[in-house]
Amino acid sequence: MKFSKQMHEIATELEVKQGYCALTPVGDADIALDEGDKESLAKAHFKKIDLSDAVYIVNIDGYIGESVSKELIYAQKNDKEIIYHEKIKR
């Protein structure tokens, strides 16, 4: 997770300052995961998307990685509101 520190800071802001419940991904850029671990985390994250009203995309400097792209497509297919941290550059 490229932006794990920023995601934690944003989730804290959303919960403490704005009163939202933030279901955040588990993991850290410094933790090595094997393929089974990655698959388990991905399944858990899709379940979190199912439980959510909206998905907040942490796209620092416009970056959206491969796994986030898959989660974004999943969220869109399931009619979830998509909120981007930074404005999308076109």
Side-chain angles (χ1 to χ4, degrees):
M1 291 192 331
K2 186 172 182 141
F3 302 119
S4 58
K5 181 180 180 223
Q6 293 93 330
M7 283 190 279
H8 177 73
E9 291 169 355
I10 291 165
T12 299
E13 170 73 20
L14 289 169
E15 289 198 357
V16 174
K17 303 289 185 185
Q18 298 182 33
Y20 292 102
C21 175
L23 302 174
T24 59
V26 175
D28 186 298
D30 297 328
I31 297 174
L33 301 171
D34 65 29
E35 288 306 312
D37 293 336
K38 289 178 185 179
E39 187 176 316
S40 293
L41 285 175
K43 286 180 183 179
H45 200 172
F46 285 122
K47 288 180 185 177
K48 290 177 183 180
I49 292 170
D50 289 337
L51 295 170
S52 300
D53 296 321
V55 176
Y56 192 103
I57 304 296
V58 179
N59 59 325
I60 307 296
D61 294 327
Y63 178 82
I64 296 176
E66 182 180 334
S67 61
V68 174
S69 293
K70 290 176 185 175
E71 294 157 1
L72 182 55
I73 291 167
Y74 181 83
Q76 290 170 328
K77 286 181 180 178
N78 288 280
D79 297 320
K80 302 297 179 175
E81 179 182 2
I82 308 297
I83 303 165
Y84 293 92
H85 183 70
E86 294 185 5
K87 186 175 180 174
I88 298 296
K89 299 172 188 172
R90 298 197 189 264

